[in-house]
Amino acid sequence: MRLEILPVPGIGHVSEGDDLAAMIAGAAPWLRDGDVLVVTSKIVSKAEGRLVDVPADGPERLAARDEVLAAETTRVVATRGATRIVQTRHGFVMASAGIDASNVDKTRLVLLPEDPDASARALRADLRERFGVDVAVIVSDTMGRPWRNGLTDVALGVAGMDAIRDHRGEIDPYGNELELTQMAVVDELAAAGELIKGKCDQVPVAVVRGYLRATRPDDGPGARVLVRDAELDLFSFGTAEARAAGLNAAATLPEGPVGVRPDPEAVTRAIAAVSRAVAPGTVFALVADEGVRAALVDTVPGWPAEATTLVLGSPATPVEPFDLVRFGADVHRLRTALAAEGFPSVLLPPPPGTTAVAALAL
């Protein structure tokens, strides 16, 4: 494969309502079928009128920017000083929701396109129908990366090609079947285009030639497929935000049971996790005696005995009020540790005939 990355100079200033397809076609009459057009999202937003007016400076400007940021945010991921990493309504996780104050009048802010995939499809259709050239279109913007310094361009929207090159099921030269490899090729092409667009050269469009043999006959699913599902996101919060969420969850622990008897090893891990923090004399133990188990189950009518594993706690004796308060804190620590293992619990009275002060049912 031989790739060329070509700048498209001469587009000039873009204003609300401008005909972006005509501007690009006029600046790049040499476009060919199969080219990949990488368009900076800012000129798409400007043409679509995704601009807001704000004061030029002072605290009023900061207040107005905060209001705009809140309106564009669906979830705060992390906050450090003035920096806000948030999730937009598109599903993108990025600094300041992609709001940009560069290359625009000081009294305006540029927002992301309302629907970058739709923007890419519309631009592709205009170029094909009005100017007779069939290209793929990538709408790109700059993002940071977790755990790495520096910025790079990524695809916010795409039309005419697949966003992901799926290698799963292919066999490598050593005979190994690829099981996980999915390449975000539109992000790679967006970054390649940024190499010649730059931030201060007023070249908002680049063409990558040679990657595609032909565009898709339809527009394809767009860049939305690059947004990871929430249930697959292992790092959905910043460190401080995850800790705060954990403390909040610990204050309102889920009530059990989970429906199946927990793994004793997981319960042992939870006990070990809190063993160094508990008050001297506090004992947590798994209950193996079926008579004790039955007595505790009887304290809650209808409690499913088959889904119950019991953990008893015994504070130091004699029992003083301070010891009970301290013991209550220890039990809550254990419930938190059990919840971290995936097991909700219920605090119950001690079973008759035992010296325990409380019991947990999972």
Side-chain angles (χ1 to χ4, degrees):
M1 180 183 295
R2 177 184 176 88
L3 296 181
E4 294 180 275
I5 309 173
L6 309 171
V8 181
I11 290 178
H13 180 72
V14 176
S15 300
E16 182 175 353
D18 280 351
D19 188 337
L20 206 54
M23 297 174 77
I24 293 173
W30 40 264
L31 279 175
R32 301 178 189 168
D33 290 353
D35 282 346
V36 179
L37 195 67
V38 183
V39 183
T40 301
S41 66
K42 185 174 296 180
I43 66 169
V44 175
S45 293
K46 286 181 176 181
E48 294 177 349
R50 290 283 289 162
L51 300 143
V52 292
D53 295 318
V54 295
D57 50 34
E60 296 82 4
R61 177 183 175 86
L62 295 177
R65 182 185 175 95
D66 286 344
E67 289 183 10
V68 174
L69 175 56
E72 293 296 304
T73 297
T74 60
R75 181 171 67 90
V76 176
V77 175
T79 300
R80 300 294 182 275
T83 301
R84 301 288 187 273
I85 307 299
V86 304
Q87 187 170 35
T88 71
R89 72 172 67 89
H90 318 81
F92 308 137
V93 175
M94 56 200 313
S96 301
I99 298 169
D100 202 339
S102 63
N103 290 304
V104 68
D105 189 274
K106 289 186 177 181
T107 62
R108 311 197 86 180
L109 296 175
V110 184
L111 311 182
L112 294 182
E114 186 71 31
D115 184 341
D117 282 328
S119 300
R121 292 168 187 147
L123 180 55
R124 184 192 183 211
D126 277 353
L127 289 169
R128 182 177 59 235
E129 294 166 9
R130 295 165 52 198
F131 301 99
V133 61
D134 187 10
V135 298
V137 174
I138 295 174
V139 176
S140 70
D141 196 29
T142 302
M143 284 190 189
R145 289 82 46 77
W147 309 296
R148 295 182 71 83
N149 291 323
L151 306 172
T152 186
D153 262 31
V154 300
L156 302 186
V158 62
M161 65 176 294
D162 292 323
I164 292 175
R165 169 72 167 91
D166 194 344
H167 292 276
R168 291 176 300 177
E170 297 179 9
I171 305 299
D172 71 13
Y174 294 90
N176 302 303
E177 182 177 346
L178 302 179
E179 298 180 355
L180 300 174
T181 307
Q182 294 176 287
M183 303 301 297
V185 292
V186 289
D187 283 348
E188 295 176 314
L189 293 171
E194 176 59 20
L195 291 175
I196 61 169
K197 287 191 296 178
K199 292 301 179 188
C200 300
D201 300 330
Q202 292 188 320
V203 179
V205 179
V207 173
V208 180
R209 178 168 290 169
Y211 179 76
L212 292 179
R213 291 188 176 89
T215 59
R216 286 181 59 126
D218 61 349
D219 287 321
R224 190 172 296 275
V225 299
L226 296 172
V227 177
R228 179 166 289 162
D229 292 338
E231 60 269 19
L232 300 178
D233 187 355
L234 302 182
F235 308 99
S236 56
F237 288 105
T239 303
E241 291 72 22
R243 183 174 183 273
L247 291 172
N248 181 67
T252 56
L253 291 173
E255 298 292 332
V258 296
V260 294
R261 186 167 296 175
D263 179 4
E265 292 185 3
V267 177
T268 301
R269 283 197 302 270
I271 293 173
V274 300
S275 61
R276 295 182 181 179
V278 299
T282 298
V283 177
F284 294 125
L286 293 175
V287 172
D289 186 281
E290 291 299 327
V292 174
R293 187 191 309 277
L296 184 54
V297 170
D298 287 343
T299 64
V300 180
W303 191 266
E306 70 281 359
T308 304
T309 295
L310 307 175
V311 181
L312 297 181
S314 299
T317 55
V319 177
E320 300 292 340
F322 178 77
D323 294 322
L324 287 175
V325 171
R326 192 167 56 177
F327 173 68
D330 292 340
V331 171
H332 194 77
R333 289 190 185 98
L334 180 57
R335 292 193 66 201
T336 302
L338 289 166
E341 291 283 350
F343 305 124
S345 58
V346 174
L347 183 62
L348 299 174
T354 72
T355 60
V357 173
L360 291 180
L362 287 78

